[in-house]
């Protein structure tokens, strides 16, 4: 809400009430006309120039894209990084597996949420970097969704933003 109000007023910055930090608005970023690579909270460029995305992104963004690119139609899987899920997905991607028949790794995008401060995935106690390694090993797409406890942004809104990132590249034909 505070970010939206600052942008509506034409402000380039606002003070985060939780931390006291001066935060650059999306409006200011748009004036720069490119991602600076710092992992800014309101980056409108999907953190395109961020090097270590798992550690820096503040908005939903791709952490990995398959080497051969994404298929035109993809299935998005909510992903927590657990061992059993990883083994099941690996089996489904092999020849004869359900996801292999739908297009293999190019047709899969994992979507994982994690705490923006600790970079840990809830319930599994897995770090976002480990999720990124899983996606790279399987060569499937991965969208990271950092969750900010004090930002006042609703969980569903963050997921919608993540799905919007996927939809910029491929048509989402399934969500599980």
């Amino acid at each position: 809400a505070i970010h939206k109000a600052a942008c509506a007023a034409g402000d380039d910055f606002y003070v985060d009430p939780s931390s006291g930090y001066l935060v650059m608005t999306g409006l200011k970023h748009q004036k720069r006309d490119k991602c600076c690579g710092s992992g800014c909270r309101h980056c409108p460029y999907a953190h395109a120039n961020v090097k270590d995305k798992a550690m820096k992104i503040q908005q939903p963004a791709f952490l990995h894209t398959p080497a051969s690119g994404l298929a035109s139609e993809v299935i998005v899987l909510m992903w927590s990084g657990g061992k059993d899920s990883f083994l099941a997905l690996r089996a489904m991607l092999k020849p004869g597996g359900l996801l292999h028949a739908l297009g293999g790794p190019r047709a899969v995008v994992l979507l994982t949420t994690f705490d923006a401060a600790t970079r840990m995935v809830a319930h599994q106690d897995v770090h976002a970097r480990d999720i990124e390694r899983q996606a790279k090993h399987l060569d499937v797409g991965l969208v990271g969704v950092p969750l900010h406890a004090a930002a006042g942004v609703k969980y569903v809104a963050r997921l919608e933003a993540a799905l919007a990132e996927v939809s910029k590249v491929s048509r989402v034909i399934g969500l599980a």
Side-chain angles (χ1 to χ4, degrees):
I2 192 168
H3 175 250
K4 189 180 271 188
C7 289
D11 295 337
D12 290 340
F13 300 91
Y14 67 91
V15 176
D16 181 314
S18 299
S19 66
Y21 292 145
L22 190 64
V23 178
M24 191 180 306
T25 64
L27 187 65
K28 174 68 173 175
H29 286 289
Q30 288 174 338
K31 290 177 185 176
R32 295 176 117 187
D33 204 31
K34 67 178 181 177
C35 172
C36 68
S38 297
C40 301
R41 185 181 300 180
H42 302 294
C43 179
Y45 303 106
H47 300 286
N49 296 325
V50 175
K51 297 284 187 253
D52 187 0
K53 290 185 181 184
M55 289 304 295
K56 292 185 178 178
I57 65 167
Q58 297 297 317
Q59 298 293 327
F62 273 94
L63 300 180
H64 181 71
T65 303
S68 57
L70 288 172
S72 60
E73 296 181 330
V74 297
I75 294 173
V76 176
L77 302 176
M78 301 298 287
W79 194 255
S80 64
K83 170 186 60 81
D84 294 333
S85 296
F86 177 78
L87 293 172
L89 178 58
R90 190 169 71 172
M92 288 190 290
L93 288 169
K94 288 183 179 180
L98 175 65
L99 294 175
H100 184 270
L102 294 174
R106 294 185 61 230
V108 176
V109 175
L110 306 178
L111 190 152
T112 191
T113 60
F114 54 86
D115 182 271
T118 65
R119 306 319 235 193
M120 298 300 285
V121 176
H123 309 297
Q124 292 291 347
D125 203 28
V126 175
H127 197 278
R129 277 192 175 146
D130 294 326
I131 303 286
E132 188 175 23
R133 279 192 209 87
Q134 289 177 345
K136 286 179 179 178
H137 174 78
L138 296 169
D139 200 27
V140 296
L142 171 64
V143 173
V145 184
L147 301 175
H148 302 271
V153 178
K154 302 277 188 226
Y155 178 77
V156 172
R158 298 296 279 181
L159 294 180
E160 288 171 343
L163 290 171
E165 286 302 312
V166 176
S167 295
K168 289 177 184 176
V169 181
S170 301
R171 185 172 153 250
V172 177
I173 60 169
L175 178 62

